[in-house]
Amino acid sequence: GYGGLYYFVIGSAFAAALLSIVLLIKKAWTSAKWKGIFFPFLFYLVVVAYEIMFITGHSLSRDTDLTVTVVLLFLLYYAAIMMTGLVPLNKKYKELFSHSPLKMQIVSEKGEPLLVSVGSEPPGKDVWQKILANPGSPVEKNKHTLLYTDPVPGGYVVWEENIAELQLLYSQSQELGKRIKTANALLAKEKDIKAEAARREQKLRLEGLLEKEISVKLQEATQLIRALPEKKNKKWEMGRIAMLLCYIKRRCILFFRERASEEIPIEDVMFYLKELSEFAEHVGIGLLLFGDGEEMVTSRQATLLYDFLFEVLYSRTQSGRANIVAQLLFEEEYIRFKLLLSITFVQKELISRALTKTIEKEGGSISVKELDDTASVELVFVRGGAQT
């Protein structure tokens, strides 16, 4: 027979096993494989039934070894838990690694691939020799890819880094740096010009004249900004606003330069025109601008050249995408600013009457010529200003 202590020990063991099942159910309740708990629980019931049969002396369990049988059934119980996926196991490393999106691999000390992820290629002999020559340092695989290595037991882990975006960012930063340098030089020059102009004229008079120059465009910019939330194509409208604000800013600069000096280097004028063309790209207008040299134009002519190009570009912002070719030419007696654009655009008003009258007052003229499906719009000034 069996004493009370025996039943206490056996009961404690089965209670502990039952508690492990309760904890397992609690952990697996949110798992997609929680239904698998019924399979291992079946072995637990078999163990309980076997123990009862053994204690009661049933013929099926009388000649068996209790310890061996119980241990075997519990091993099957825990094996069933692992097979059903209720307990994570450290297996299928190769499948996991091969399906990884990371371009990474583990190679032997001789460079032989052991584990390779999808999209990753084993390094060639030449590249591997460079890796061994500079362990831990990045090695160039191709123009846009670097290989990095770290030692691991029995070999190395090798992974790739795509640096194409970094290279593009570096190139853009270099170009931006050049443009900023040029802009800063202009800003420094403009600062001196503004200071000189302010000393030569009274502040109130300048403010009044400047307000007269930009008041119409300033009101238009204010109206566009207020109406922006109701517009469907906000990106397009923001491009128009940015273009208009750029014009107002540079128009103020030219206002001061007119009063500070009689002539302006054409290099400065081309910078202003190209800047305006860059803003025009945001509203679908592509402008190819030609013109260079060390020529000089009067400050008034520079202002009118800028007004002329702005009105042509801004009048096209409501007509869809357009491409325009512009060229600034210097002849012995004349300055010619030619624009080549689609014939459909000249059927509408390109230049306001107010600007046309101002240009004629300065001795300039505007002409339009039709060339098949294109048209040439030309602004002509007499070099040095209007003849008296």
Side-chain angles (χ1 to χ4, degrees), residues 19-53:
L19 180 60
S20 72
I21 294 178
V22 173
L23 293 175
L24 184 63
I25 293 174
K26 182 180 178 181
K27 294 289 185 181
W29 193 255
T30 57
S31 172
K33 299 180 179 180
W34 69 272
K35 293 182 180 180
I37 192 64
F38 297 107
F39 181 54
F41 186 67
L42 179 63
F43 286 98
Y44 178 81
L45 296 178
V46 172
V47 173
V48 174
Y50 170 78
E51 186 68 24
I52 294 173
M53 292 170 61

PDB file of all heavy atoms in Angstrom, residues 19-53:
ATOM      1  N   LEU A  19      -0.263  23.441 -13.241  1.00  0.00           N
ATOM      2  CA  LEU A  19       0.003  24.880 -13.206  1.00  0.00           C
ATOM      3  C   LEU A  19       0.784  25.324 -14.444  1.00  0.00           C
ATOM      4  O   LEU A  19       0.544  26.402 -15.002  1.00  0.00           O
ATOM      5  CB  LEU A  19       0.773  25.239 -11.931  1.00  0.00           C
ATOM      6  CG  LEU A  19       1.120  26.727 -11.755  1.00  0.00           C
ATOM      7  CD1 LEU A  19      -0.154  27.574 -11.730  1.00  0.00           C
ATOM      8  CD2 LEU A  19       1.938  26.934 -10.484  1.00  0.00           C
ATOM      9  N   SER A  20       1.713  24.480 -14.887  1.00  0.00           N
ATOM     10  CA  SER A  20       2.474  24.823 -16.096  1.00  0.00           C
ATOM     11  C   SER A  20       1.552  24.902 -17.313  1.00  0.00           C
ATOM     12  O   SER A  20       1.734  25.736 -18.193  1.00  0.00           O
ATOM     13  CB  SER A  20       3.586  23.792 -16.340  1.00  0.00           C
ATOM     14  OG  SER A  20       3.045  22.553 -16.771  1.00  0.00           O
ATOM     15  N   ILE A  21       0.537  24.035 -17.341  1.00  0.00           N
ATOM     16  CA  ILE A  21      -0.430  24.077 -18.447  1.00  0.00           C
ATOM     17  C   ILE A  21      -1.254  25.358 -18.374  1.00  0.00           C
ATOM     18  O   ILE A  21      -1.512  26.013 -19.398  1.00  0.00           O
ATOM     19  CB  ILE A  21      -1.346  22.837 -18.403  1.00  0.00           C
ATOM     20  CG1 ILE A  21      -0.531  21.566 -18.687  1.00  0.00           C
ATOM     21  CG2 ILE A  21      -2.478  22.969 -19.412  1.00  0.00           C
ATOM     22  CD1 ILE A  21      -1.338  20.290 -18.608  1.00  0.00           C
ATOM     23  N   VAL A  22      -1.649  25.747 -17.163  1.00  0.00           N
ATOM     24  CA  VAL A  22      -2.414  26.981 -16.996  1.00  0.00           C
ATOM     25  C   VAL A  22      -1.605  28.187 -17.479  1.00  0.00           C
ATOM     26  O   VAL A  22      -2.107  29.062 -18.202  1.00  0.00           O
ATOM     27  CB  VAL A  22      -2.834  27.157 -15.530  1.00  0.00           C
ATOM     28  CG1 VAL A  22      -3.478  28.541 -15.319  1.00  0.00           C
ATOM     29  CG2 VAL A  22      -3.801  26.059 -15.118  1.00  0.00           C
ATOM     30  N   LEU A  23      -0.316  28.227 -17.086  1.00  0.00           N
ATOM     31  CA  LEU A  23       0.551  29.322 -17.529  1.00  0.00           C
ATOM     32  C   LEU A  23       0.738  29.297 -19.045  1.00  0.00           C
ATOM     33  O   LEU A  23       0.783  30.349 -19.700  1.00  0.00           O
ATOM     34  CB  LEU A  23       1.912  29.233 -16.826  1.00  0.00           C
ATOM     35  CG  LEU A  23       1.906  29.482 -15.314  1.00  0.00           C
ATOM     36  CD1 LEU A  23       3.293  29.245 -14.733  1.00  0.00           C
ATOM     37  CD2 LEU A  23       1.443  30.902 -15.016  1.00  0.00           C
ATOM     38  N   LEU A  24       0.849  28.095 -19.604  1.00  0.00           N
ATOM     39  CA  LEU A  24       1.013  27.949 -21.037  1.00  0.00           C
ATOM     40  C   LEU A  24      -0.218  28.460 -21.781  1.00  0.00           C
ATOM     41  O   LEU A  24      -0.111  29.147 -22.807  1.00  0.00           O
ATOM     42  CB  LEU A  24       1.278  26.480 -21.387  1.00  0.00           C
ATOM     43  CG  LEU A  24       1.576  26.181 -22.868  1.00  0.00           C
ATOM     44  CD1 LEU A  24       2.862  26.872 -23.296  1.00  0.00           C
ATOM     45  CD2 LEU A  24       1.684  24.684 -23.089  1.00  0.00           C
ATOM     46  N   ILE A  25      -1.401  28.123 -21.254  1.00  0.00           N
ATOM     47  CA  ILE A  25      -2.636  28.606 -21.869  1.00  0.00           C
ATOM     48  C   ILE A  25      -2.708  30.132 -21.803  1.00  0.00           C
ATOM     49  O   ILE A  25      -3.095  30.806 -22.763  1.00  0.00           O
ATOM     50  CB  ILE A  25      -3.864  27.970 -21.171  1.00  0.00           C
ATOM     51  CG1 ILE A  25      -3.897  26.451 -21.453  1.00  0.00           C
ATOM     52  CG2 ILE A  25      -5.153  28.625 -21.644  1.00  0.00           C
ATOM     53  CD1 ILE A  25      -4.979  25.726 -20.691  1.00  0.00           C
ATOM     54  N   LYS A  26      -2.291  30.692 -20.664  1.00  0.00           N
ATOM     55  CA  LYS A  26      -2.312  32.143 -20.501  1.00  0.00           C
ATOM     56  C   LYS A  26      -1.380  32.825 -21.499  1.00  0.00           C
ATOM     57  O   LYS A  26      -1.724  33.848 -22.097  1.00  0.00           O
ATOM     58  CB  LYS A  26      -1.915  32.497 -19.072  1.00  0.00           C
ATOM     59  CG  LYS A  26      -1.947  33.988 -18.781  1.00  0.00           C
ATOM     60  CD  LYS A  26      -1.547  34.259 -17.349  1.00  0.00           C
ATOM     61  CE  LYS A  26      -1.531  35.762 -17.071  1.00  0.00           C
ATOM     62  NZ  LYS A  26      -1.121  36.080 -15.701  1.00  0.00           N
ATOM     63  N   LYS A  27      -0.181  32.272 -21.693  1.00  0.00           N
ATOM     64  CA  LYS A  27       0.789  32.855 -22.619  1.00  0.00           C
ATOM     65  C   LYS A  27       0.356  32.686 -24.071  1.00  0.00           C
ATOM     66  O   LYS A  27       0.607  33.544 -24.918  1.00  0.00           O
ATOM     67  CB  LYS A  27       2.175  32.221 -22.413  1.00  0.00           C
ATOM     68  CG  LYS A  27       2.818  32.532 -21.072  1.00  0.00           C
ATOM     69  CD  LYS A  27       3.252  33.986 -21.014  1.00  0.00           C
ATOM     70  CE  LYS A  27       3.995  34.262 -19.719  1.00  0.00           C
ATOM     71  NZ  LYS A  27       4.411  35.682 -19.626  1.00  0.00           N
ATOM     72  N   ALA A  28      -0.271  31.547 -24.360  1.00  0.00           N
ATOM     73  CA  ALA A  28      -0.604  31.217 -25.752  1.00  0.00           C
ATOM     74  C   ALA A  28      -1.966  31.730 -26.160  1.00  0.00           C
ATOM     75  O   ALA A  28      -2.367  31.534 -27.317  1.00  0.00           O
ATOM     76  CB  ALA A  28      -0.543  29.697 -25.951  1.00  0.00           C
ATOM     77  N   TRP A  29      -2.692  32.385 -25.266  1.00  0.00           N
ATOM     78  CA  TRP A  29      -4.068  32.761 -25.564  1.00  0.00           C
ATOM     79  C   TRP A  29      -4.154  33.744 -26.736  1.00  0.00           C
ATOM     80  O   TRP A  29      -5.097  33.713 -27.530  1.00  0.00           O
ATOM     81  CB  TRP A  29      -4.713  33.377 -24.322  1.00  0.00           C
ATOM     82  CG  TRP A  29      -6.200  33.497 -24.464  1.00  0.00           C
ATOM     83  CD1 TRP A  29      -6.918  34.624 -24.692  1.00  0.00           C
ATOM     84  CD2 TRP A  29      -7.150  32.424 -24.405  1.00  0.00           C
ATOM     85  NE1 TRP A  29      -8.245  34.342 -24.772  1.00  0.00           N
ATOM     86  CE2 TRP A  29      -8.425  32.982 -24.600  1.00  0.00           C
ATOM     87  CE3 TRP A  29      -7.037  31.043 -24.200  1.00  0.00           C
ATOM     88  CZ2 TRP A  29      -9.578  32.220 -24.608  1.00  0.00           C
ATOM     89  CZ3 TRP A  29      -8.193  30.284 -24.208  1.00  0.00           C
ATOM     90  CH2 TRP A  29      -9.443  30.867 -24.403  1.00  0.00           C
ATOM     91  N   THR A  30      -3.141  34.643 -26.840  1.00  0.00           N
ATOM     92  CA  THR A  30      -3.143  35.622 -27.938  1.00  0.00           C
ATOM     93  C   THR A  30      -2.401  35.113 -29.162  1.00  0.00           C
ATOM     94  O   THR A  30      -2.281  35.837 -30.155  1.00  0.00           O
ATOM     95  CB  THR A  30      -2.481  36.934 -27.473  1.00  0.00           C
ATOM     96  OG1 THR A  30      -1.149  36.653 -26.999  1.00  0.00           O
ATOM     97  CG2 THR A  30      -3.273  37.575 -26.340  1.00  0.00           C
ATOM     98  N   SER A  31      -1.896  33.890 -29.111  1.00  0.00           N
ATOM     99  CA  SER A  31      -1.158  33.337 -30.249  1.00  0.00           C
ATOM    100  C   SER A  31      -2.124  32.764 -31.277  1.00  0.00           C
ATOM    101  O   SER A  31      -3.217  32.295 -30.948  1.00  0.00           O
ATOM    102  CB  SER A  31      -0.192  32.246 -29.772  1.00  0.00           C
ATOM    103  OG  SER A  31       0.383  31.578 -30.885  1.00  0.00           O
ATOM    104  N   ALA A  32      -1.686  32.786 -32.553  1.00  0.00           N
ATOM    105  CA  ALA A  32      -2.507  32.201 -33.612  1.00  0.00           C
ATOM    106  C   ALA A  32      -2.579  30.684 -33.498  1.00  0.00           C
ATOM    107  O   ALA A  32      -3.444  30.049 -34.101  1.00  0.00           O
ATOM    108  CB  ALA A  32      -1.937  32.600 -34.980  1.00  0.00           C
ATOM    109  N   LYS A  33      -1.662  30.086 -32.695  1.00  0.00           N
ATOM    110  CA  LYS A  33      -1.614  28.628 -32.563  1.00  0.00           C
ATOM    111  C   LYS A  33      -2.155  28.157 -31.208  1.00  0.00           C
ATOM    112  O   LYS A  33      -1.799  27.080 -30.740  1.00  0.00           O
ATOM    113  CB  LYS A  33      -0.174  28.141 -32.737  1.00  0.00           C
ATOM    114  CG  LYS A  33       0.402  28.486 -34.113  1.00  0.00           C
ATOM    115  CD  LYS A  33       1.825  27.977 -34.243  1.00  0.00           C
ATOM    116  CE  LYS A  33       2.400  28.298 -35.607  1.00  0.00           C
ATOM    117  NZ  LYS A  33       3.783  27.803 -35.745  1.00  0.00           N
ATOM    118  N   TRP A  34      -3.028  28.952 -30.564  1.00  0.00           N
ATOM    119  CA  TRP A  34      -3.471  28.607 -29.207  1.00  0.00           C
ATOM    120  C   TRP A  34      -4.286  27.317 -29.169  1.00  0.00           C
ATOM    121  O   TRP A  34      -4.327  26.644 -28.145  1.00  0.00           O
ATOM    122  CB  TRP A  34      -4.295  29.757 -28.628  1.00  0.00           C
ATOM    123  CG  TRP A  34      -5.638  29.954 -29.308  1.00  0.00           C
ATOM    124  CD1 TRP A  34      -5.891  30.711 -30.399  1.00  0.00           C
ATOM    125  CD2 TRP A  34      -6.876  29.370 -28.921  1.00  0.00           C
ATOM    126  NE1 TRP A  34      -7.216  30.646 -30.742  1.00  0.00           N
ATOM    127  CE2 TRP A  34      -7.855  29.827 -29.842  1.00  0.00           C
ATOM    128  CE3 TRP A  34      -7.273  28.493 -27.897  1.00  0.00           C
ATOM    129  CZ2 TRP A  34      -9.169  29.448 -29.768  1.00  0.00           C
ATOM    130  CZ3 TRP A  34      -8.608  28.119 -27.818  1.00  0.00           C
ATOM    131  CH2 TRP A  34      -9.548  28.595 -28.746  1.00  0.00           C
ATOM    132  N   LYS A  35      -4.917  26.945 -30.289  1.00  0.00           N
ATOM    133  CA  LYS A  35      -5.698  25.709 -30.297  1.00  0.00           C
ATOM    134  C   LYS A  35      -4.817  24.472 -30.154  1.00  0.00           C
ATOM    135  O   LYS A  35      -5.297  23.390 -29.825  1.00  0.00           O
ATOM    136  CB  LYS A  35      -6.510  25.616 -31.585  1.00  0.00           C
ATOM    137  CG  LYS A  35      -7.607  26.676 -31.690  1.00  0.00           C
ATOM    138  CD  LYS A  35      -8.404  26.508 -32.969  1.00  0.00           C
ATOM    139  CE  LYS A  35      -9.508  27.558 -33.073  1.00  0.00           C
ATOM    140  NZ  LYS A  35     -10.294  27.410 -34.323  1.00  0.00           N
ATOM    141  N   GLY A  36      -3.537  24.627 -30.391  1.00  0.00           N
ATOM    142  CA  GLY A  36      -2.627  23.482 -30.261  1.00  0.00           C
ATOM    143  C   GLY A  36      -2.460  22.989 -28.847  1.00  0.00           C
ATOM    144  O   GLY A  36      -1.851  21.936 -28.621  1.00  0.00           O
ATOM    145  N   ILE A  37      -2.988  23.696 -27.842  1.00  0.00           N
ATOM    146  CA  ILE A  37      -2.849  23.290 -26.446  1.00  0.00           C
ATOM    147  C   ILE A  37      -3.583  21.973 -26.164  1.00  0.00           C
ATOM    148  O   ILE A  37      -3.217  21.222 -25.246  1.00  0.00           O
ATOM    149  CB  ILE A  37      -3.368  24.419 -25.511  1.00  0.00           C
ATOM    150  CG1 ILE A  37      -2.972  24.157 -24.055  1.00  0.00           C
ATOM    151  CG2 ILE A  37      -4.869  24.564 -25.655  1.00  0.00           C
ATOM    152  CD1 ILE A  37      -1.499  24.172 -23.831  1.00  0.00           C
ATOM    153  N   PHE A  38      -4.582  21.659 -26.962  1.00  0.00           N
ATOM    154  CA  PHE A  38      -5.354  20.433 -26.703  1.00  0.00           C
ATOM    155  C   PHE A  38      -4.534  19.168 -26.966  1.00  0.00           C
ATOM    156  O   PHE A  38      -4.723  18.147 -26.312  1.00  0.00           O
ATOM    157  CB  PHE A  38      -6.624  20.422 -27.563  1.00  0.00           C
ATOM    158  CG  PHE A  38      -7.557  21.549 -27.246  1.00  0.00           C
ATOM    159  CD1 PHE A  38      -7.696  22.622 -28.117  1.00  0.00           C
ATOM    160  CD2 PHE A  38      -8.286  21.563 -26.060  1.00  0.00           C
ATOM    161  CE1 PHE A  38      -8.550  23.661 -27.819  1.00  0.00           C
ATOM    162  CE2 PHE A  38      -9.149  22.591 -25.763  1.00  0.00           C
ATOM    163  CZ  PHE A  38      -9.277  23.652 -26.634  1.00  0.00           C
ATOM    164  N   PHE A  39      -3.608  19.217 -27.910  1.00  0.00           N
ATOM    165  CA  PHE A  39      -2.788  18.045 -28.214  1.00  0.00           C
ATOM    166  C   PHE A  39      -1.844  17.688 -27.056  1.00  0.00           C
ATOM    167  O   PHE A  39      -1.860  16.538 -26.566  1.00  0.00           O
ATOM    168  CB  PHE A  39      -2.023  18.280 -29.515  1.00  0.00           C
ATOM    169  CG  PHE A  39      -1.157  17.108 -29.913  1.00  0.00           C
ATOM    170  CD1 PHE A  39      -1.689  15.833 -30.041  1.00  0.00           C
ATOM    171  CD2 PHE A  39       0.199  17.300 -30.171  1.00  0.00           C
ATOM    172  CE1 PHE A  39      -0.888  14.762 -30.413  1.00  0.00           C
ATOM    173  CE2 PHE A  39       0.996  16.242 -30.540  1.00  0.00           C
ATOM    174  CZ  PHE A  39       0.455  14.965 -30.667  1.00  0.00           C
ATOM    175  N   PRO A  40      -1.027  18.613 -26.529  1.00  0.00           N
ATOM    176  CA  PRO A  40      -0.185  18.252 -25.383  1.00  0.00           C
ATOM    177  C   PRO A  40      -0.996  17.955 -24.121  1.00  0.00           C
ATOM    178  O   PRO A  40      -0.601  17.146 -23.278  1.00  0.00           O
ATOM    179  CB  PRO A  40       0.721  19.480 -25.194  1.00  0.00           C
ATOM    180  CG  PRO A  40       0.035  20.588 -25.892  1.00  0.00           C
ATOM    181  CD  PRO A  40      -0.707  19.973 -27.019  1.00  0.00           C
ATOM    182  N   PHE A  41      -2.156  18.592 -23.942  1.00  0.00           N
ATOM    183  CA  PHE A  41      -2.984  18.341 -22.768  1.00  0.00           C
ATOM    184  C   PHE A  41      -3.488  16.888 -22.750  1.00  0.00           C
ATOM    185  O   PHE A  41      -3.715  16.310 -21.677  1.00  0.00           O
ATOM    186  CB  PHE A  41      -4.172  19.318 -22.750  1.00  0.00           C
ATOM    187  CG  PHE A  41      -4.993  19.237 -21.504  1.00  0.00           C
ATOM    188  CD1 PHE A  41      -4.455  19.631 -20.276  1.00  0.00           C
ATOM    189  CD2 PHE A  41      -6.293  18.762 -21.522  1.00  0.00           C
ATOM    190  CE1 PHE A  41      -5.202  19.562 -19.116  1.00  0.00           C
ATOM    191  CE2 PHE A  41      -7.037  18.680 -20.366  1.00  0.00           C
ATOM    192  CZ  PHE A  41      -6.506  19.090 -19.156  1.00  0.00           C
ATOM    193  N   LEU A  42      -3.596  16.291 -23.937  1.00  0.00           N
ATOM    194  CA  LEU A  42      -4.007  14.891 -24.032  1.00  0.00           C
ATOM    195  C   LEU A  42      -2.991  13.981 -23.337  1.00  0.00           C
ATOM    196  O   LEU A  42      -3.363  13.028 -22.643  1.00  0.00           O
ATOM    197  CB  LEU A  42      -4.167  14.505 -25.510  1.00  0.00           C
ATOM    198  CG  LEU A  42      -4.566  13.054 -25.793  1.00  0.00           C
ATOM    199  CD1 LEU A  42      -5.942  12.746 -25.201  1.00  0.00           C
ATOM    200  CD2 LEU A  42      -4.571  12.797 -27.312  1.00  0.00           C
ATOM    201  N   PHE A  43      -1.700  14.279 -23.487  1.00  0.00           N
ATOM    202  CA  PHE A  43      -0.660  13.478 -22.826  1.00  0.00           C
ATOM    203  C   PHE A  43      -0.736  13.648 -21.314  1.00  0.00           C
ATOM    204  O   PHE A  43      -0.471  12.712 -20.550  1.00  0.00           O
ATOM    205  CB  PHE A  43       0.728  13.894 -23.331  1.00  0.00           C
ATOM    206  CG  PHE A  43       1.021  13.408 -24.722  1.00  0.00           C
ATOM    207  CD1 PHE A  43       0.857  14.229 -25.817  1.00  0.00           C
ATOM    208  CD2 PHE A  43       1.466  12.103 -24.945  1.00  0.00           C
ATOM    209  CE1 PHE A  43       1.120  13.787 -27.094  1.00  0.00           C
ATOM    210  CE2 PHE A  43       1.741  11.652 -26.222  1.00  0.00           C
ATOM    211  CZ  PHE A  43       1.560  12.488 -27.306  1.00  0.00           C
ATOM    212  N   TYR A  44      -1.083  14.834 -20.853  1.00  0.00           N
ATOM    213  CA  TYR A  44      -1.217  15.053 -19.419  1.00  0.00           C
ATOM    214  C   TYR A  44      -2.339  14.178 -18.858  1.00  0.00           C
ATOM    215  O   TYR A  44      -2.186  13.548 -17.794  1.00  0.00           O
ATOM    216  CB  TYR A  44      -1.505  16.522 -19.142  1.00  0.00           C
ATOM    217  CG  TYR A  44      -1.707  16.835 -17.670  1.00  0.00           C
ATOM    218  CD1 TYR A  44      -0.605  17.000 -16.834  1.00  0.00           C
ATOM    219  CD2 TYR A  44      -2.984  16.945 -17.130  1.00  0.00           C
ATOM    220  CE1 TYR A  44      -0.783  17.278 -15.484  1.00  0.00           C
ATOM    221  CE2 TYR A  44      -3.162  17.211 -15.784  1.00  0.00           C
ATOM    222  CZ  TYR A  44      -2.050  17.383 -14.966  1.00  0.00           C
ATOM    223  OH  TYR A  44      -2.228  17.651 -13.638  1.00  0.00           O
ATOM    224  N   LEU A  45      -3.451  14.104 -19.577  1.00  0.00           N
ATOM    225  CA  LEU A  45      -4.557  13.255 -19.129  1.00  0.00           C
ATOM    226  C   LEU A  45      -4.150  11.780 -19.126  1.00  0.00           C
ATOM    227  O   LEU A  45      -4.560  11.005 -18.242  1.00  0.00           O
ATOM    228  CB  LEU A  45      -5.771  13.465 -20.035  1.00  0.00           C
ATOM    229  CG  LEU A  45      -6.399  14.870 -20.009  1.00  0.00           C
ATOM    230  CD1 LEU A  45      -7.564  14.941 -20.994  1.00  0.00           C
ATOM    231  CD2 LEU A  45      -6.866  15.211 -18.605  1.00  0.00           C
ATOM    232  N   VAL A  46      -3.331  11.379 -20.108  1.00  0.00           N
ATOM    233  CA  VAL A  46      -2.856   9.984 -20.158  1.00  0.00           C
ATOM    234  C   VAL A  46      -1.994   9.671 -18.939  1.00  0.00           C
ATOM    235  O   VAL A  46      -2.084   8.596 -18.331  1.00  0.00           O
ATOM    236  CB  VAL A  46      -2.096   9.725 -21.456  1.00  0.00           C
ATOM    237  CG1 VAL A  46      -1.422   8.343 -21.433  1.00  0.00           C
ATOM    238  CG2 VAL A  46      -3.032   9.824 -22.650  1.00  0.00           C
ATOM    239  N   VAL A  47      -1.123  10.643 -18.550  1.00  0.00           N
ATOM    240  CA  VAL A  47      -0.266  10.450 -17.371  1.00  0.00           C
ATOM    241  C   VAL A  47      -1.128  10.285 -16.113  1.00  0.00           C
ATOM    242  O   VAL A  47      -0.877   9.407 -15.267  1.00  0.00           O
ATOM    243  CB  VAL A  47       0.716  11.622 -17.211  1.00  0.00           C
ATOM    244  CG1 VAL A  47       1.481  11.499 -15.894  1.00  0.00           C
ATOM    245  CG2 VAL A  47       1.681  11.651 -18.369  1.00  0.00           C
ATOM    246  N   VAL A  48      -2.139  11.156 -15.976  1.00  0.00           N
ATOM    247  CA  VAL A  48      -3.023  11.067 -14.802  1.00  0.00           C
ATOM    248  C   VAL A  48      -3.729   9.707 -14.775  1.00  0.00           C
ATOM    249  O   VAL A  48      -3.805   9.035 -13.733  1.00  0.00           O
ATOM    250  CB  VAL A  48      -4.043  12.219 -14.817  1.00  0.00           C
ATOM    251  CG1 VAL A  48      -5.055  12.042 -13.688  1.00  0.00           C
ATOM    252  CG2 VAL A  48      -3.332  13.560 -14.685  1.00  0.00           C
ATOM    253  N   ALA A  49      -4.257   9.299 -15.927  1.00  0.00           N
ATOM    254  CA  ALA A  49      -4.962   8.009 -15.980  1.00  0.00           C
ATOM    255  C   ALA A  49      -4.032   6.844 -15.659  1.00  0.00           C
ATOM    256  O   ALA A  49      -4.399   5.900 -14.925  1.00  0.00           O
ATOM    257  CB  ALA A  49      -5.573   7.834 -17.368  1.00  0.00           C
ATOM    258  N   TYR A  50      -2.794   6.925 -16.190  1.00  0.00           N
ATOM    259  CA  TYR A  50      -1.828   5.854 -15.929  1.00  0.00           C
ATOM    260  C   TYR A  50      -1.492   5.789 -14.445  1.00  0.00           C
ATOM    261  O   TYR A  50      -1.405   4.693 -13.852  1.00  0.00           O
ATOM    262  CB  TYR A  50      -0.568   6.086 -16.753  1.00  0.00           C
ATOM    263  CG  TYR A  50       0.559   5.160 -16.357  1.00  0.00           C
ATOM    264  CD1 TYR A  50       0.577   3.820 -16.785  1.00  0.00           C
ATOM    265  CD2 TYR A  50       1.592   5.613 -15.538  1.00  0.00           C
ATOM    266  CE1 TYR A  50       1.603   2.969 -16.410  1.00  0.00           C
ATOM    267  CE2 TYR A  50       2.614   4.774 -15.165  1.00  0.00           C
ATOM    268  CZ  TYR A  50       2.610   3.447 -15.594  1.00  0.00           C
ATOM    269  OH  TYR A  50       3.630   2.606 -15.214  1.00  0.00           O
ATOM    270  N   GLU A  51      -1.300   6.928 -13.800  1.00  0.00           N
ATOM    271  CA  GLU A  51      -0.934   6.962 -12.380  1.00  0.00           C
ATOM    272  C   GLU A  51      -2.062   6.346 -11.523  1.00  0.00           C
ATOM    273  O   GLU A  51      -1.813   5.590 -10.592  1.00  0.00           O
ATOM    274  CB  GLU A  51      -0.662   8.400 -11.946  1.00  0.00           C
ATOM    275  CG  GLU A  51      -0.133   8.545 -10.531  1.00  0.00           C
ATOM    276  CD  GLU A  51       1.269   7.985 -10.396  1.00  0.00           C
ATOM    277  OE1 GLU A  51       2.000   7.916 -11.424  1.00  0.00           O
ATOM    278  OE2 GLU A  51       1.665   7.628  -9.272  1.00  0.00           O
ATOM    279  N   ILE A  52      -3.298   6.705 -11.879  1.00  0.00           N
ATOM    280  CA  ILE A  52      -4.436   6.141 -11.130  1.00  0.00           C
ATOM    281  C   ILE A  52      -4.497   4.624 -11.311  1.00  0.00           C
ATOM    282  O   ILE A  52      -4.712   3.856 -10.341  1.00  0.00           O
ATOM    283  CB  ILE A  52      -5.748   6.802 -11.591  1.00  0.00           C
ATOM    284  CG1 ILE A  52      -5.744   8.293 -11.201  1.00  0.00           C
ATOM    285  CG2 ILE A  52      -6.955   6.114 -10.986  1.00  0.00           C
ATOM    286  CD1 ILE A  52      -6.920   9.072 -11.746  1.00  0.00           C
ATOM    287  N   MET A  53      -4.282   4.153 -12.542  1.00  0.00           N
ATOM    288  CA  MET A  53      -4.312   2.716 -12.829  1.00  0.00           C
ATOM    289  C   MET A  53      -3.190   1.999 -12.088  1.00  0.00           C
ATOM    290  O   MET A  53      -3.373   0.883 -11.561  1.00  0.00           O
ATOM    291  CB  MET A  53      -4.196   2.470 -14.332  1.00  0.00           C
ATOM    292  CG  MET A  53      -5.424   2.932 -15.139  1.00  0.00           C
ATOM    293  SD  MET A  53      -5.155   2.897 -16.926  1.00  0.00           S
ATOM    294  CE  MET A  53      -4.828   1.147 -17.148  1.00  0.00           C
TER     295      MET A  53
END
